[in-house]
């Protein structure tokens, strides 16, 4: 029988035998949110290999996906710029040697009284200019030779700066390098990787640095990888309204592959929440409802908001502890 918004079950109705009413309980629970993620290389363990000079790639010693060791040859470049740098250094050495000899002679003659002070000062200035030019030319060669080996007047061999895997390769034998700011290849050490989760703005309250997370990979659906939040980006992406959250994992066996899809479950700190049996929830027009007892055998429909399923019960918002609700048989009232 209906009494306004309420439903009353009169005495003698067979419905009373099928409906169970219990008080709402609270429990100390930790809610969770599941968000998508992907496996990425750790930028602190990733190096983009640049050509130190313009030139043509005469040899390429690695392929995409190869594992390399620090110091291992990667590629050889035949460069006219290198030849010019080597020639400049040799010319600067010869000039410094010549001006040093001239300065020594001028110093001796000046002490013997056979050379004017002005000519001695000119010799000193010539020597200072020559040594400065030599330092500049040698510094240029040092920069070119960083993580490389000059093997001749025109050739330079690039060596691996770190242990890792070739994760990107943007050159080939015969390729001409005319932009020394564009990487030839990328080496990433994958012994430790990141799982980067994209968290919606509304779920950021679940993300705290140092809090535990559970990561699942599509490739290993039955395995759970526990971790902790390490980095929370301070920048919210304007187009997706999502925040990047990163969890680091040791990867000695290579289980985590770059660009693998992952799901990441975040947990909020435990707190007291209202919980109800799943059987108490009724769906009406995509809205969850429960039947609340407002008087003996009199019930009203109340919309609630499910927050999480935990051990056979559902944490919800919209009810208070102690309220009595229909926990079984509510389908008989859900017309």
């Amino acid at each position: 029988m209906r009494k306004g918004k309420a439903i009353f079950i009169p005495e003698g109705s067979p419905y009373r035998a099928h409906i169970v009413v219990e008080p709402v309980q609270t429990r100390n629970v930790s809610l969770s949110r599941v968000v998508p993620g992907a496996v990425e290389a750790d930028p602190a363990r990733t190096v983009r290999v640049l050509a130190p000079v313009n030139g043509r790639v005469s040899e390429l010693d690695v392929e995409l996906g190869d594992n390399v060791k620090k110091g291992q040859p990667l590629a050889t470049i035949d460069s006219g710029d290198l030849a010019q740098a080597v020639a400049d250094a040799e010319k600067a050495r010869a000039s410094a040697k010549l001006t040093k000899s001239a300065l020594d002679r001028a110093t001796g003659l000046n002490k013997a009284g056979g050379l004017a002070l002005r000519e001695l000062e000119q010799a000193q200035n010539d020597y200072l200019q020559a040594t400065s030019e030599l330092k500049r030319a040698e510094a240029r060669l040092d920069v070119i030779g960083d993580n490389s080996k000059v093997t001749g007047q025109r050739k330079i061999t690039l060596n691996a700066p770190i242990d890792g895997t070739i994760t990107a390769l943007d050159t080939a034998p015969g390729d001409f390098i005319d932009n020394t700011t564009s990487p030839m290849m990328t080496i990433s050490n994958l012994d430790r990787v990141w799982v980067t989760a994209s968290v919606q703005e509304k779920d950021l309250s679940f993300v705290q640095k140092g809090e535990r997370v559970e990561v699942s990979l599509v490739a290993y659906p039955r395995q759970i990888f526990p971790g902790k939040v390490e980095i929370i980006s301070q920048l919210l992406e304007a187009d997706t309204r999502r925040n990047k959250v990163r969890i680091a994992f040791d990867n000695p066996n290579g289980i985590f592959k770059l660009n693998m899809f992952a799901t990441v479950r975040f947990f909020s700190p435990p707190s007291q929440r209202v919980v109800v049996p799943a059987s108490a929830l009724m769906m009406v027009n995509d809205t969850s409802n429960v039947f609340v007892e407002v008087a003996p055998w009199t019930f009203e429909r109340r919309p609630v908001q499910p927050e999480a399923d935990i051990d056979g019960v559902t944490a919800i918002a919209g009810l208070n502890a102690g309220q009595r609700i229909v926990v079984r048989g509510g389908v008989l009232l859900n017309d």
Side-chain angles (χ1 to χ4, degrees):
M1 297 176 60
R2 290 193 174 274
K3 294 183 177 181
K5 294 183 178 180
I7 300 174
F8 173 66
I9 302 177
E11 187 176 353
S13 170
Y15 277 23
R16 289 196 177 190
H18 298 284
I19 292 177
V20 177
V21 181
E22 292 180 356
V24 171
Q25 299 179 352
T26 60
R27 184 185 296 183
N28 198 38
V29 298
S30 178
L31 302 184
S32 66
R33 287 290 186 273
V34 176
V35 301
V39 178
E40 297 180 351
D42 184 347
R45 295 168 175 258
T46 298
V47 177
R48 291 171 176 81
V49 179
L50 306 177
V53 289
N54 293 336
R56 191 173 300 279
V57 178
S58 59
E59 297 177 26
L60 184 62
D61 302 314
V62 294
E63 296 181 356
L64 185 65
D66 282 357
N67 294 321
V68 297
K69 295 293 185 181
K70 183 176 181 179
Q72 178 179 331
L74 301 174
T76 301
I77 299 175
D78 188 345
S79 171
D81 289 353
L82 173 62
Q84 182 64 53
V86 172
D88 289 345
E90 292 177 348
K91 180 180 178 181
R93 291 190 192 99
S95 178
K97 183 178 180 181
L98 180 63
T99 54
K100 181 65 168 63
S101 298
L103 176 59
D104 291 343
R105 287 194 302 271
T107 302
L109 289 173
N110 180 261
K111 288 180 178 180
L115 188 70
L117 178 60
R118 183 177 62 82
E119 293 178 350
L120 174 62
E121 291 174 344
Q122 181 62 48
Q124 291 173 335
N125 183 65
D126 292 344
Y127 176 66
L128 287 174
Q129 289 186 5
T131 54
S132 296
E133 179 61 21
L134 176 59
K135 289 179 181 179
R136 184 201 65 78
E138 289 182 338
R140 170 62 174 154
L141 282 181
D142 288 341
V143 171
I144 292 175
D146 188 26
N147 291 325
S148 310
K149 182 180 180 182
V150 177
T151 56
Q153 292 289 324
R154 294 180 57 91
K155 289 190 175 182
I156 182 170
T157 300
L158 304 184
N159 298 324
I162 61 171
D163 295 346
T165 302
I166 306 296
T167 55
L169 185 62
D170 298 301
T171 191
D175 188 19
F176 187 79
I177 307 298
D178 59 359
N179 182 3
T180 56
T181 63
S182 179
M184 296 175 60
M185 62 189 74
T186 301
I187 302 175
S188 299
N189 188 316
L190 302 180
D191 290 340
R192 187 172 175 83
V193 298
W194 280 354
V195 172
T196 301
S198 297
V199 182
Q200 294 187 52
E201 184 177 4
K202 67 182 181 64
D203 293 330
L204 284 177
S205 60
F206 285 80
V207 180
Q208 302 291 333
K209 187 173 182 178
E211 288 293 328
R212 69 184 180 99
V213 298
E214 292 179 351
V215 173
S216 301
L217 300 176
V218 175
Y220 311 100
R222 297 184 180 181
Q223 283 187 262
I224 300 295
F225 300 91
K228 291 184 178 181
V229 175
E230 294 203 8
I231 299 175
I232 303 173
S233 174
Q234 298 302 308
L235 176 65
L236 193 69
E237 296 182 345
D239 52 346
T240 63
R241 308 307 298 173
R242 289 178 178 266
N243 192 248
K244 297 293 186 183
V245 179
R246 293 180 170 89
I247 306 101
F249 285 94
D250 291 330
N251 189 35
N253 299 320
I255 291 178
F256 292 86
K257 311 292 186 185
L258 293 189
N259 301 320
M260 269 185 168
F261 288 115
T263 55
V264 183
R265 183 180 292 274
F266 293 91
F267 297 89
S268 66
S271 61
Q272 287 291 321
R273 301 277 180 170
V274 170
V275 295
V276 300
S279 59
L281 297 175
M282 300 290 120
M283 293 296 297
V284 177
N285 298 327
D286 296 328
T287 301
S288 296
N289 296 263
V290 297
F291 286 99
V292 178
E293 187 180 52
V294 294
W297 295 105
T298 304
F299 308 97
E300 284 187 4
R301 187 193 306 274
R302 298 278 176 84
V304 293
Q305 182 180 352
E307 295 182 316
D309 291 326
I310 305 153
D311 298 331
V313 297
T314 302
I316 63 171
L319 287 179
N320 298 320
Q323 287 182 296
R324 291 173 57 82
I325 63 171
V326 175
V327 297
R328 190 168 70 243
V331 67
L332 299 175
L333 308 177
N334 193 37
D335 56 4

